[in-house]
Amino acid sequence: MEFTADIGLEVHVQLKTKSKMFTRAPYHYGAEPNTLTDPVVLALPGVLPVMNKEAVRKTVLLGLLCKCKIAERCKWDRKNYFYPDSPKNYQLSQYDQPICEGGEVEIEMLGASRNVMGEHRMVQLTRIHLEEDVGKLTHFANDSLVDYNRAGAPLCEIVTEPDMHNADEVFAFLTALRNNIVAAGLSDCDMEKGQMRCDANISVRPKGQETLGTKVELKNMNTISGVRNAVAYEIKRQIHAVTSGEAIHQQTRRWDPVSQVTTKMRDKEESHDYRYFPEPDLMPVSIGAQQLKVLAKELPELPFDRQRRFMETLDLPYTLTSVLCPDKELADFFEEALADTGGKVAPKAVANLIANDLLRELSGGEEEGRLPLSACKLAPAHIADLTVLVEDGVITKQIAQTIFTEMYATGKMPSTLVEEKGLQAHSDDGELESIVREVAADPKHEKAISQFKDGNTKAINSLIGPIMKATQGKADPRKIQDMLAKVLG
Amino acid sequence: MPSEKIDIDYVARLARIDLTEEEKVTFAEQLGNILAYVDKLNQVDVSGVEPMAHAFALENVLDDDEPGPALTVKDALRNAPAQRDNQIVVPKVVEDA
């Protein structure tokens, strides 16, 4: 029997703010334990919450980015539960009036190969609401430790419809969502720092059946790849259970990244009764049409829109755009470099230098752990200068490689390096001719030359290397060929 | 009379409190009276009345994102019965909220 899987996600994203959601205690990642608290965070008697304007603004931007309907007016509620991660015994969240409703995120599915653009489609969102984060627990053999630094940090929860059907789509969704949010500067979305977290609701049903199967909630997935692996595993586990005649129980399961399996955490019967009620200490927030208009102007061009523009108006191939566009910093760097060339150079030449040479240096030859652009000494002007030098014929492509390595190491401008090292392309035909004659006179090339004279035009290619070497790489290979033909002809 | 019979065991479990059999009888009756009292509100016709979130008709009470002071670790942990490595020690909890 064939099965369809239905997957919905709950994605939590920590907003980039300097202070917490309902108090001005500072917040940033990586502080020593319990150094980012105040009486509100610790829920000491008599404290009152005051909302962070920037967190509301960023949530509305997120909603606009995802084409959600922004509520004209919304409120906050208390979600009651006892757990040591929350000093108040409730979390401030939004129950029935989220800031954003509906919405969609464009995703790209896997293409036939790496060089081929995959199909694009929209994944539907249910809602986005704004709440506060909880503290961090570290479990030991006999007890647990609590750090309240993270407690009260602004947190957006993005809920999708059960609109994804395999692990690759989930991966594509999380990647696209992260790229969009990072591009808009709303969060850094680093999953390993807990700035983006994801739970997945998964069910399977026989193909063709209308109603969804019983859903299982998956937790504890700490990387986007981890989510993909966990979802792929859970779909297989459920299909295996159903085909073996077992019933799927509504439960919460935990992904174990070490053994790569999901294990049961709790059944639905043990689930919580949160007793939501409106928070009496917070006033509602209303967002006017005028404010939405102003905020809409702050939205960045989305990575996929930018990719289409690069392909259509700059005639860049998919492979280059798929490297540049997901990373706003990189795509901005490219556009600045292109502008710096003053229209002299083909966009593809500029893009190649960034997507290939620059990224190769930044990644140090490894797939993972690429350094950020800010870690290198190059500005867009370096790239522009280098491509213009090649375009104007001042230096050869071979020399450009040498200069690239040199400028990456030193941060010196290519023009300066060319001057300093005298790397200008050979333009003196007389000198090139004498070098060509000298190399051609070498007895070891006699055979190649006679083959050339017998009509094998390719035979002289073996002389190009030695000639190039004699010119210290400064000659244009085409010029060498012409000169050879002239000298030998 | 209360509109619904209160499940005192469930309420006690949610509040994480242990009640004796006598207390259960007492509190069930008291909570039932409270529900009955509040139930009177249901008799008022509120059709056409906009629900209000707060006694004051205020909205958009928002603060600029300027970080203020934080408590020292020492002050932050002053009420913790047990502590280690500048963190609060709690009984081992594995359940996820």
Side-chain angles (χ1 to χ4, degrees), chain A residues 422-460:
Chain A
L423 294 170
Q424 291 90 341
H426 235 281
S427 52
D428 185 340
D429 284 357
E431 196 187 337
L432 180 62
E433 186 173 339
S434 64
I435 289 172
V436 169
R437 284 189 190 282
E438 205 175 298
V439 173
D442 190 327
K444 68 178 177 190
H445 298 308
E446 217 172 287
K447 194 177 161 200
I449 291 169
S450 75
Q451 282 173 346
F452 172 73
K453 287 184 172 165
D454 288 345
N456 181 357
T457 51
K458 279 186 186 162
I460 54 162

Side-chain angles (χ1 to χ4, degrees), chain B residues 1 7 12 18 26 30 39 44 61 64-65 67 74 80-81 84 89-91 93-96:
Chain B
M1 276 304 288
D7 183 346
D18 289 323
T26 311
Q30 289 180 355
D39 202 40
V44 183
V61 181
D64 286 332
D65 183 30
K74 194 171 162 241
R84 187 171 78 234
V89 178
V90 295
V93 276
V94 283
E95 173 62 299
D96 203 331

Side-chain angles (χ1 to χ4, degrees), chain A residues 81-82 272-275, chain B residues 9-17:
Chain A
Y81 68 94
F82 290 99
H272 303 270
D273 178 350
Y274 291 124
R275 293 152 292 145
Chain B
D9 289 318
Y10 182 62
V11 174
R13 198 165 75 236
L14 284 176
R16 304 287 194 275
I17 50 174

Side-chain angles (χ1 to χ4, degrees), chain A residues 395 399 416-425 471-472 474:
Chain A
I395 55 169
I399 291 292
T416 313
L417 287 168
V418 168
E419 288 289 322
E420 278 180 10
K421 297 177 184 273
L423 294 170
Q424 291 90 341
T471 67
Q472 288 162 321
K474 288 182 280 186

Side-chain angles (χ1 to χ4, degrees), chain A residues 163-276:
Chain A
D163 194 23
M164 287 159 273
H165 304 287
N166 59 58
D168 288 333
E169 282 187 0
V170 171
F171 184 86
F173 172 80
L174 289 172
T175 305
L177 181 68
R178 183 189 59 190
N179 292 344
N180 291 352
I181 293 174
V182 172
L186 305 178
S187 168
D188 292 330
C189 290
D190 187 333
M191 281 189 85
E192 283 168 27
K193 290 181 182 170
Q195 293 161 340
M196 180 163 152
R197 308 194 281 274
C198 174
D199 298 335
N201 286 304
I202 303 171
S203 62
V204 297
R205 60 187 152 114
K207 202 170 181 175
Q209 180 184 305
E210 290 272 317
T211 51
L212 301 189
T214 307
K215 74 177 175 188
V216 166
E217 188 181 8
L218 266 193
K219 283 180 176 285
N220 196 45
M221 301 167 288
N222 300 322
T223 61
I224 294 187
S225 302
V227 177
R228 172 157 64 184
N229 296 342
V231 168
Y233 173 88
E234 181 60 18
I235 292 172
K236 286 195 200 95
R237 186 193 72 82
Q238 289 188 21
I239 291 175
H240 178 76
V242 172
T243 48
S244 317
E246 277 173 51
I248 301 287
H249 297 288
Q250 195 165 341
Q251 58 182 209
T252 302
R253 298 179 71 85
R254 181 178 182 283
W255 171 245
D256 182 342
V258 179
S259 52
Q260 299 269 306
V261 297
T262 62
T263 50
K264 187 178 110 172
M265 277 171 71
R266 61 166 178 261
D267 279 316
K268 191 65 188 171
E269 303 85 73
E270 303 161 24
S271 90
H272 303 270
D273 178 350
Y274 291 124
R275 293 152 292 145
Y276 284 96

